[in-house]
Amino acid sequence: MDYSAIKINERRLRRDLEDLGRFGEEPDGGILRPALSDADLKAREWFKGRMREAGLSVREDAVANIIGRLDPPSGAEGLPCIATGSHSDAVLHGGKYDGAAGLCCGLEAIRAIQRSGLPIHCPLELIVFTDEEGGHYAGTFGSRAMFDLLVEGEIYKSRGAGSPFLAQSLERMGKDPAQYARAVRSPSEFRAFLELHIEQGPVLDSLGIPVGVVEGIVAIDRHLIEVKGKAGHAGTTPMRLRDDALVKAAGIITAVNRAVRALGNEIVGTIGEMKVYPGAFNIIPGRVEMTLDLRSMKKPLLKKARGKIREILRSVPGARLTTALSKDGSRMDRRIMELIEESCRRRGISWKRMSSGAGHDAMTFPAQGIPTGMIFIPCGEGKSHCPEESIRWEDAATGAQILADTIVRIAFSAGMKSTLRKTFAR
Ligand code: HGY
Ligand code: MN
Ligand code: MN
C-alpha cells in the first residue's frame, strides 16, 4: 500500500483552523462559542460549506449533530463506516483548538485520503457533535444522544437559572426537540471511531513528542451541590442570628478539597461553578448552587469520594448533593492503538501512550462495541480551556497525517475487515 500518496496540505489545514477560530473570537485571543449559540451556529454553517467543498454529503440530525459522509463511487449502502469527529462548541472564554483541531484535521485527513486514489471501499464520516462541553447541562451530549444515552428529560434540563436548555436551542434552530430520538443510530453502522484532539495537558509539549496514543479516558461524575440558608437584611441581622448559605458553602468547598486530596493523586475534583442567590451585596445569601466535577481512571475512587462528600454534607444543615451525570471511563481499542503506532513508525514520528483526563465524545463509543481510538497532538505548555490555548501548525499537520494513515490502515485491517473495491474519484 503506498501511503505516500496520502498528502496532508498544511497550508490549507492552517487556514481552516484560523478561519474556524474567528467564530466567537474575543479580543484576548480566546473564543466565546457556547453550544448552538449564534457564534457556534455560524461556525457550523461555515464548516458544512468546507465539508461540501471537499465533496462530502452533509446532513444534520435531530439533535443538530452534523454528519459529513464520503461514499466510494461504487456506493456503500449497508457498509459500516469509519468515522472521525469532534466538537465546534467551546467552554466560556476558551481556546481555539479544543474540538476544532479534531474537526479541521479530520476534514484534511479525509480530503487527503480521497485525493490519494487509494482503493478503499469504505464510507468515511466526519461528525460535528452537539454540545460536547455541556454548555446546556451535561457534556458529550451529541454522541450520547446518537446512542440513546441521554438521562431522563435531559433536553429540558439546564445547569441553572438563565442558561438555556437544549430543547430551547434546538427550537431556535427550527428543530422539533420532541424528535430528538430520531438521532439514534445503530452501533453496527460504525466499523471504528477515531478522534484527534489537543492533549489539554503538558506531557507531549514538555517532552517534544508530536503524537499521543490514548489508552483510556477518565470516568467522570458530575454532581450539583445545593446549600440552603436564610436570606436576610445584610445590615440589620446580627451575625449570631444568621444562616448564611455562602458561609456554609465555603466550609464545604475546603472540606471537599481536603477529602479529594486525601484520596491520592489518581483522582481530581473541581468546584468550578457557583451561583449565589438572591445575589446582591445587601442580602445575606439564602441559597448557593455549586457544580462538583470528579474524575479518575478508577471508577471505585469516584464512588469513595462521593461517600466522603455525602458525609461532609450531612454535617451541614441545608446541604444536599444530586448527581447530574455519571460517565464510566473508557478503554481505547488495542488494535487501533497499534495501527496508530504503526502509522507513526512508518512516518518516523515519535509517540507516547497516555490517558486522557479530559472527557471527549470518543468516550461514548467503546461501550457501544465500536472500536475506538484517540490521537493527541501537543498544545502549548499544556494550556487549555483558556485564551492562551495554542498549537503548532506542524503538529496539527502531523496529527492529520497519522489520522489519515490510520483510517486507511483500519479500512484494510482484516480485524475490522474491508473489501478492496473501486478507488475514490480524484
Ligand atoms: O470537560 C472536559 O474534560 C472536556 O473538555 N469537555
Ligand atoms: Mn473542552
Ligand atoms: Mn474537547
Side-chain angles (χ1 to χ4, degrees):
M1 183 59 54
D2 175 15
Y3 284 85
S4 65
I6 307 173
K7 296 185 186 343
I8 295 298
N9 180 323
E10 183 177 329
R11 208 172 27 79
R12 184 173 50 204
L13 173 55
R14 169 176 180 166
R15 204 186 56 211
D16 279 351
L17 285 162
E18 288 175 331
D19 289 352
L20 183 48
R22 291 203 180 91
F23 295 99
E25 189 172 30
E26 298 189 292
D28 62 0
I31 53 169
L32 187 58
R33 199 162 74 207
L36 303 185
S37 60
D38 288 345
D40 188 32
L41 296 181
K42 286 192 190 110
R44 292 160 136 262
E45 282 315 305
W46 170 82
F47 195 70
K48 284 179 189 169
R50 292 300 278 164
M51 289 207 269
R52 288 193 189 99
E53 284 165 25
L56 282 70
S57 64
V58 178
R59 72 181 180 87
E60 200 173 78
D61 72 11
V63 294
N65 290 316
I66 299 170
I67 296 147
R69 185 173 166 105
L70 193 68
D71 280 336
S74 52
E77 281 62 48
L79 260 186
C81 73
I82 299 172
T84 185
S86 198
H87 57 96
S88 62
D89 62 300
V91 291
L92 296 179
H93 312 299
K96 292 183 174 174
Y97 307 103
D98 174 358
L103 296 182
C104 295
C105 291
L107 180 56
E108 184 54 32
I110 291 179
R111 284 187 191 114
I113 293 168
Q114 187 194 26
R115 292 168 192 205
S116 71
L118 287 177
I120 67 165
H121 173 67
C122 171
L124 303 181
E125 285 194 0
L126 174 56
I127 305 174
V128 183
F129 292 103
T130 302
D131 196 357
E132 188 281 336
E133 296 289 4
H136 289 82
Y137 183 64
T140 63
F141 169 79
S143 54
R144 286 186 298 111
M146 194 173 269
F147 296 109
D148 203 11
L149 299 169
L150 298 183
V151 294
E152 184 63 32
E154 179 165 345
I155 63 169
Y156 299 103
K157 290 177 187 244
S158 95
R159 292 165 54 152
S163 53
F165 43 87
L166 258 145
Q168 278 169 318
S169 296
L170 292 173
E171 258 164 8
R172 207 165 71 93
M173 294 172 73
K175 291 182 185 296
D176 173 2
Q179 302 295 324
Y180 74 91
R182 297 167 68 101
V184 176
R185 296 178 68 177
S186 155
S188 63
E189 293 183 52
F190 297 87
R191 242 210 346 268
F193 178 76
L194 267 171
E195 180 169 3
L196 180 143
H197 204 285
I198 55 170
E199 180 202 337
Q200 299 184 292
V203 174
L204 295 176
D205 187 47
S206 60
L207 297 173
I209 296 178
V211 169
V213 179
V214 178
E215 295 178 292
I217 302 175
V218 279
I220 304 179
D221 276 359
R222 200 146 297 158
H223 304 291
L224 302 174
I225 296 177
E226 183 188 37
V227 188
K228 281 196 174 138
K230 254 200 226 76
H233 196 295
T236 56
T237 313
M239 296 306 276
R240 60 186 166 72
L241 297 180
R242 293 184 178 206
D243 181 6
D244 185 326
L246 188 53
V247 169
K248 291 195 285 190
I252 290 171
I253 292 170
T254 38
V256 164
N257 194 277
R258 219 179 1 257
V260 173
R261 284 172 184 272
L263 289 172
N265 54 19
E266 293 186 293
I267 179 169
V268 288
T270 314
I271 293 183
E273 250 179 288
M274 174 194 263
K275 291 197 176 103
V276 181
Y277 298 96
F281 68 90
N282 55 2
I283 310 175
I284 302 166
R287 187 164 67 85
V288 170
E289 280 176 358
M290 304 188 275
T291 55
L292 170 60
D293 177 297
L294 291 172
R295 303 188 189 199
S296 173
M297 291 305 289
K298 296 186 173 146
K299 185 90 181 176
L301 258 181
L302 295 185
K303 201 157 169 266
K304 211 165 164 192
R306 186 176 0 196
K308 296 266 181 228
I309 290 157
R310 282 200 194 287
E311 234 172 83
I312 292 166
L313 297 189
R314 269 195 290 278
S315 67
V316 180
R320 74 187 179 107
L321 175 136
T322 45
T323 300
L325 195 75
S326 183
K327 290 182 199 173
D328 288 341
S330 45
R331 295 250 144 260
M332 297 296 106
D333 186 279
R334 185 189 43 73
R335 293 166 301 173
I336 294 190
M337 284 196 270
E338 286 164 2
L339 291 176
I340 297 171
E341 290 171 339
E342 174 66 4
S343 300
C344 290
R345 201 174 291 116
R346 295 294 178 133
R347 295 271 179 187
I349 303 281
S350 59
W351 75 87
K352 176 180 178 46
R353 284 205 177 188
M354 55 201 306
S355 58
S356 173
H360 303 285
D361 286 300
M363 70 200 292
T364 307
F365 286 75
Q368 306 305 314
I370 300 168
T372 306
M374 276 202 88
I375 294 169
F376 273 172
I377 62 170
C379 53
E381 295 172 55
K383 288 183 183 162
S384 181
H385 279 193
C386 60
E388 294 76 19
E389 191 176 275
S390 67
I391 57 170
R392 279 180 296 272
W393 306 123
E394 62 270 26
D395 287 338
T398 303
Q401 185 71 66
I402 300 301
L403 175 64
D405 292 1
T406 307
I407 288 173
V408 173
R409 285 197 161 85
I410 292 170
F412 283 96
S413 68
M416 284 166 252
K417 67 182 179 307
S418 168
T419 50
L420 275 180
R421 296 263 295 271
K422 287 216 186 317
T423 60
F424 278 112
R426 277 184 181 277

